[in-house]
Structure formats: C-alpha cells, structure tokens
Amino acid sequence: MQIMTSLRIIRGRGLLIATIIIHICILQLHYITEKAVWVGVSGTTNSNNTTNINGDQTSTSSTTFEYIPAPVENLIVKSAEILGYTSQNNPSGCDIWKANTTHSEIYDALSSYAKDLAEYNKAVANFQPIPDVFKSIKKGDYSVCDATRIHKDGVRGLFPSNQLSLTKNGYIEPLAPPFRSNVFCTDKRHLLSLDYLVHDFEQMCRNLKPTSRRVLIDMGAALNFHGGGGVMLRLLQQYEKFGFHFDHYYAFEVAFTEPKKVYEELLRKEYLPIYHWINTGEREEHWCVLILMHDHTVITHTKVCFKQGYRMRRAVN
C-alpha cells in the first residue's frame, strides 16, 4: 500500500531543505534535524510523464523513480571531507559561496546558480495568482496545470546553469550549505528567507490524482516563532498563489501551548477548517517524530527519536 506519492521536507532551526520521495518500498532521505515541515500529496500513482534532467519527457513509474542530484550537489558531497563537513568543528556553510576560499569548481557552479535563482524569484514575485487547480483535476482536466507554468520551458528554463536536482515531483534546488538563502551569508536579515526554495508547481500539479489529498505536516509548529508563524504563512501563501490549497495541516509542537491560545489568538482564521494541533512534549535532548500510518480505516503511529546533533545520511530502505 502506498502512503504518500511524493513529499518535500523543509527543516531545521532556520529552515533546512531536503527532499523525501516515498514509494512503496523506497525512502530517500538527506538529513534529520530538530524541526521539519513536510509538504505531501497523497493518493495512488500510476506511470507518469516526467521531465528528466535533460528536459526530455520520459515515462517514469512511482516505484522506480530515482532522485537525481544537481551536479554541484554531487561536487559538495564528494568534497565533504576537504570542505570540513565531516569534522566536528562546525565548519561554515557560507564559505563555498565566497571566492578564493574554497573549491573553485563549486564556487563557479554556485555563482551561476545564484544568478538563476534570483531570476526565478523575480518570476515567482511577478506570477499572477490562479484559482485552486484541484477543482479541475477532480474532473480529470489537467489543462489547468499549464497555468502554473512559470516559464515557457518550465522551471528548468529559468536555470541555464543546469544546477537543479530532479525528483518525482519535478525540479528542486540543490541540497547545499548553508541550507537556507545564500544571501544570508552576507546579510543576516535573510535568516528566514524562503527565496532559496525552488518549487516545480507544474509537475506537482500533473502528479495530482482526482482522489489526492494535499497535506502539510509541520514538525516544530510554534505559531509565535519569529513573528507569529510568519514563515509558515509565507509558504502557505506561495502554494496558494500557484493554485495549491491544502486539505489538511498537521502541526506538531514540543513546547506546550494552550489550545485556546493557538486556535483563538495565533492561528489565521482561514486555516481553522484544515488545522490539526498536536502538542507532543518530549525531553529536550531528543528529537522525536510521530510517523502516521493508515490502512483506510485505522490510524496508528510509530515514534522515532534522535539525539540532538545526530545526522542521518540519505538512505534507501
């Protein structure tokens, strides 16, 4: 039984980013840290036409799709020891974005990518909001997905550097330190900027099924975190701008907050119908996740805990 067809994970104290693709027996995972936001689409999946890393259309089965990292992501992984990322000395994640301080090939690739990313963010800012795409998809009409296209050649058309990673859900940003906006390296005010995230809304739209449910899972969901949930609000508004309105929003938070305060003071009223507040207190030295499973009639959960600082490399189970 397939639980999720596709899943993004945006994580960390400052919003780290990785990609999770869950198939029937395949799990691809980058790192596990203390906070997480999962954006997923549930429902069954058949073979789909997917744009590959070269921009060609290929038929891909949900049970065989392979994550393809961007070239610069591969370079960073291969150079991890040289860059100091395998040490316990907490090396700077910004050095690779600075000239003459690191591997020149990585710097050149990231510099080209940064220019493309700036153009992508301009295109996102200028994009005119569209209605909920799911209303048409429920009727089997996928022509609505054309309206989510941000460039005539899709997202890839805005990235001539070819430094995007490819997932079943389309193109995303390469996984690279500092796991947030590279502008943060020169301007700390961009600590919580979401401008480093690349979303392939057209491909996500085409992956939806008439029976799908759009689910957001927020791990570390304090709504009074950095300005009353401003980061999550920006993420929700961006998805809504491109026609994605979530059916469920599961919010997990360790620190206790009175439900009355959450629902009556902190939460935006328009999200009341889809919001599920789950206040799960745990010891501070551990980070725990409740993994929800269902068999169409019964919901169960498995708790997985990790000590602070524990990192789990991408694994295939």
Side-chain angles (χ1 to χ4, degrees):
M1 176 185 68
Q2 188 169 2
I3 306 297
M4 287 284 203
T5 61
S6 57
L7 188 61
R8 291 202 69 176
I9 176 168
I10 305 168
R11 323 149 306 142
R13 292 184 183 275
L15 289 180
L16 306 184
I17 181 68
T19 301
I20 293 181
I21 303 298
I22 296 184
H23 306 301
I24 294 177
C25 298
I26 298 178
L27 170 63
Q28 293 180 320
L29 180 63
H30 283 300
Y31 297 108
I32 289 181
T33 54
E34 296 176 5
K35 286 193 157 197
V37 175
W38 291 1
V39 178
V41 181
S42 65
T44 58
T45 302
N46 298 316
S47 295
N48 294 314
N49 286 328
T50 304
T51 304
N52 66 20
I53 201 69
N54 297 313
D56 304 319
Q57 293 294 322
T58 57
S59 180
T60 315
S61 169
S62 64
T63 60
T64 60
F65 188 87
E66 180 180 356
Y67 172 77
I68 303 175
V72 71
E73 184 175 326
N74 275 330
L75 279 173
I76 291 171
V77 172
K78 291 177 181 177
S79 306
E81 186 172 354
I82 296 173
L83 295 170
Y85 297 154
T86 59
S87 73
Q88 300 296 318
N89 297 326
N90 195 25
S92 171
C94 287
D95 284 349
I96 58 175
W97 295 86
K98 300 175 182 177
N100 303 320
T101 59
T102 186
H103 198 293
S104 61
E105 190 176 2
I106 293 177
Y107 171 74
D108 291 342
L110 288 177
S111 295
S112 297
Y113 170 72
K115 294 177 183 178
D116 295 345
L117 184 61
E119 292 303 312
Y120 165 80
N121 283 313
K122 288 180 184 177
V124 170
N126 294 329
F127 187 85
Q128 296 302 306
I130 62 175
D132 189 345
V133 298
F134 196 54
K135 293 180 180 179
S136 295
I137 289 174
K138 284 195 295 186
K139 301 175 184 177
D141 179 10
Y142 284 83
S143 64
V144 68
C145 297
D146 294 341
T148 67
R149 187 173 298 166
I150 199 170
H151 183 274
K152 64 181 181 66
D153 297 320
V155 170
R156 184 173 178 269
L158 291 168
F159 289 85
S161 64
N162 292 320
Q163 293 297 344
L164 290 178
S165 296
L166 182 64
T167 74
K168 181 181 179 295
N169 237 20
Y171 289 99
I172 64 169
E173 67 289 337
L175 183 67
F179 303 106
R180 67 190 77 214
S181 172
N182 60 292
V183 183
F184 161 80
C185 294
T186 54
D187 187 345
K188 303 304 181 186
R189 291 175 297 179
H190 289 260
L191 173 66
L192 296 179
S193 170
L194 300 181
D195 288 349
Y196 70 104
L197 300 176
V198 176
H199 307 279
D200 195 338
F201 288 106
E202 182 181 0
Q203 186 61 51
M204 286 190 283
C205 179
R206 299 191 188 283
N207 282 353
L208 286 170
K209 305 297 175 187
T211 55
S212 292
R213 292 294 181 269
R214 295 155 297 177
V215 178
L216 185 146
I217 303 176
D218 187 353
M219 308 297 293
L223 290 174
N224 55 357
F225 176 73
H226 283 279
V231 173
M232 285 306 304
L233 180 61
R234 293 200 303 274
L235 183 68
L236 285 164
Q237 289 175 335
Q238 186 175 30
Y239 269 78
E240 290 167 0
K241 184 178 185 179
F242 283 84
F244 284 77
H245 296 254
F246 289 103
D247 300 293
H248 296 283
Y249 180 161
Y250 292 95
F252 292 80
E253 173 56 37
V254 170
F256 177 73
T257 307
E258 287 287 351
K260 181 180 177 66
K261 182 178 181 65
V262 171
Y263 284 98
E264 295 185 7
E265 298 179 27
L266 299 176
L267 182 65
R268 291 275 293 263
K269 301 304 180 187
E270 61 264 36
Y271 298 122
L272 277 172
I274 67 170
Y275 197 74
H276 309 273
W277 175 248
I278 305 168
N279 220 171
T280 56
E282 294 291 345
R283 291 184 300 169
E284 291 184 359
E285 65 267 24
H286 289 78
W287 181 74
C288 298
V289 180
L290 291 177
I291 302 176
L292 301 179
M293 307 286 286
H294 71 87
D295 63 359
H296 302 294
T297 56
V298 179
I299 295 179
T300 59
H301 72 267
T302 300
K303 184 180 291 185
V304 182
C305 296
F306 303 93
K307 292 183 178 179
Q308 282 189 347
Y310 179 80
R311 289 182 174 181
M312 186 174 184
R313 297 292 183 180
R314 185 186 307 141
V316 178
N317 295 331

